[in-house]
Amino acid sequence: MRLIQFLTSDNKPALGRVLSESEIQVVGTVGTLYALAQRALAESTQLTELVEQLATDERVDYDQLENEQRLLAPFAHPDPAHLFVTGTGLTHLGSADTRANMHAKTSGKAESELTDSMKMFQQGVQGGKPGGGRVGAQPEWFYKGNGSIVAAPGKALQSPDFGLDAGEEPEIAGCYINDEKGQPWRIGFALGNEFSDHKTERQNYLLLAHSKLRPCSVGPEILIGDLPAEVRGQSRIVRNGEVIWEKPFLSGESNMSHSLANLEHHHFKYSLFRQPGDAHVHFYGTATLSFADGIETREGDVFEISAEGFGRALRNPIAIAEPAGGPVNVL
């Protein structure tokens, strides 16, 4: 089952079930996925069962929603400050060529000669899927922001005026909600563009935290259920109506050095992330970047990310934000 969130013609939030490439079935009573999840928790029922119960006879045209820019991120918190947007890196094995390259660079080298990134990657390969309920190696982890930085599908990703680069990162993101006791529950999975500043990161790896404080986008659909072991997607950049770069990307546990359970454990082991009622969008990482192929993006370029099983593609143009303001005042 795949769901979307959108604005009605009178600008009210609504929840819909994807029936086909062109048809959305309106889910009644609740206007958001967050509200649906809260009700599912209260009634101890599955999300899919609740959607079946609340589905209406009303249909809306999917193309019209996209063309009128009425699509919303498929999951949000009613108070953006209570949505944590985070992610993990160095989690994907990448293509066979990339793996072979990794091995060629690391074979025969003493650990003291490896970069911190390569050491962490190797730790994930060796211990990221421990199985048997055991705790595996810690992944790289980063904070992106709260719900205020999530751009709706079709809306511009605002690169700050001081940014050095505006680069896409095609990923799968997990969406979660904490119940009244702080127990996290996974709702589903969405396509994501974990937009980052790779030139800032390249200057010094200690600037990674700065490079991640950028907007992002997820959706337009959320997949309710298990993540396929193999996710095959396509990432492209369109400039003035022409595709200037295109490359497939792989995700799913078959292409990852960490299990989802291990990534989830190392995020939700912190009590900070187990506060009752809070929501989380957690990016799982990628191995495909246009920046790695020397692409210089520009304002107006459109990112397009798609994958089998996730429905409609996620599209977002690049915009350059106005300066945030003057210096700090003193009270």
Side-chain angles (χ1 to χ4, degrees):
M1 180 180 288
R2 302 197 309 274
L3 304 175
I4 67 167
Q5 294 190 133
F6 63 96
L7 292 174
T8 64
S9 56
D10 53 356
N11 216 37
K12 293 181 180 178
L15 184 65
R17 177 183 181 179
V18 181
L19 295 181
S20 69
E21 292 182 2
S22 60
E23 191 174 40
I24 302 297
Q25 179 183 36
V26 176
V27 179
T29 307
V30 295
T32 66
L33 182 53
Y34 183 87
L36 182 79
Q38 289 281 33
R39 180 164 169 176
L41 288 171
E43 297 179 7
S44 299
T45 188
Q46 296 292 311
L47 283 172
T48 52
E49 294 177 8
L50 197 50
V51 169
E52 297 284 1
Q53 292 175 27
L54 301 178
T56 70
D57 294 330
E58 185 180 358
R59 305 288 190 270
V60 291
D61 184 80
Y62 206 161
D63 289 332
Q64 185 178 3
L65 291 178
E66 183 172 35
N67 293 338
E68 295 178 356
Q69 292 200 331
R70 289 197 277 134
L71 292 173
L72 301 173
F75 181 62
H77 192 285
D79 178 358
H82 285 276
L83 174 66
F84 286 91
V85 184
T86 55
T88 54
L90 302 173
T91 55
H92 281 64
L93 299 170
S95 67
D97 288 344
T98 301
R99 283 198 299 268
N101 241 355
M102 287 270 195
H103 296 153
K105 290 176 182 176
T106 60
S107 61
K109 284 194 173 184
E111 185 170 334
S112 60
E113 296 181 69
L114 301 179
T115 65
D116 288 340
S117 294
M118 192 59 70
K119 289 176 185 176
M120 181 162 280
F121 175 81
Q122 285 189 332
Q123 288 169 7
V125 170
Q126 295 164 5
K129 296 180 177 179
R134 293 174 296 164
V135 175
Q138 289 191 114
E140 176 193 47
W141 182 95
F142 58 85
Y143 174 73
K144 277 197 74 67
N146 59 28
S148 67
I149 58 100
V150 180
K155 298 293 186 180
L157 291 166
Q158 298 275 342
S159 184
D161 66 296
F162 55 80
L164 303 180
D165 172 56
E168 88 298 334
E169 294 202 14
E171 305 190 20
I172 303 299
C175 300
Y176 304 84
I177 186 173
N178 294 343
D179 65 21
E180 60 183 7
K181 295 182 180 178
Q183 169 64 40
W185 295 77
R186 188 200 306 135
I187 291 177
F189 305 94
L191 290 176
N193 186 346
E194 197 273 288
F195 189 63
S196 300
D197 186 337
H198 301 104
K199 286 186 177 179
T200 292
E201 177 185 343
R202 189 172 63 179
Q203 286 181 331
N204 187 314
Y205 195 65
L206 293 179
L207 294 175
L208 175 71
H210 288 272
S211 75
K212 294 298 186 183
L213 290 174
R214 299 292 186 272
C216 64
S217 187
V218 291
E221 304 179 20
I222 184 167
L223 175 67
I224 307 299
D226 295 331
L227 182 70
E230 176 106 346
V231 175
R232 293 182 173 271
Q234 198 76 13
S235 181
R236 58 178 62 92
I237 299 173
V238 179
R239 179 177 295 164
N240 299 323
E242 300 289 333
V243 176
I244 64 164
W245 177 85
E246 184 174 19
K247 202 166 190 177
F249 71 91
L250 297 173
S251 193
E253 285 193 353
S254 295
N255 300 295
M256 297 171 67
S257 53
H258 288 262
S259 66
L260 291 184
N262 195 52
L263 298 182
E264 290 172 340
H265 167 80
H266 285 296
H267 179 69
F268 287 106
K269 68 184 180 184
Y270 296 101
S271 59
L272 171 64
F273 299 142
R274 287 177 172 262
Q275 297 302 304
D278 280 355
H280 296 256
V281 171
H282 191 63
F283 288 92
Y284 298 136
T286 189
T288 304
L289 307 170
S290 65
F291 180 77
D293 292 338
I295 299 297
E296 294 269 353
T297 61
R298 302 176 189 168
E299 187 170 21
D301 287 352
V302 177
F303 297 120
E304 183 178 297
I305 296 169
S306 59
E308 298 172 9
F310 285 84
R312 193 160 291 217
L314 174 63
R315 299 180 180 90
N316 298 93
I318 302 173
I320 306 301
E322 294 294 325
V328 174
N329 292 328
V330 178
L331 284 175

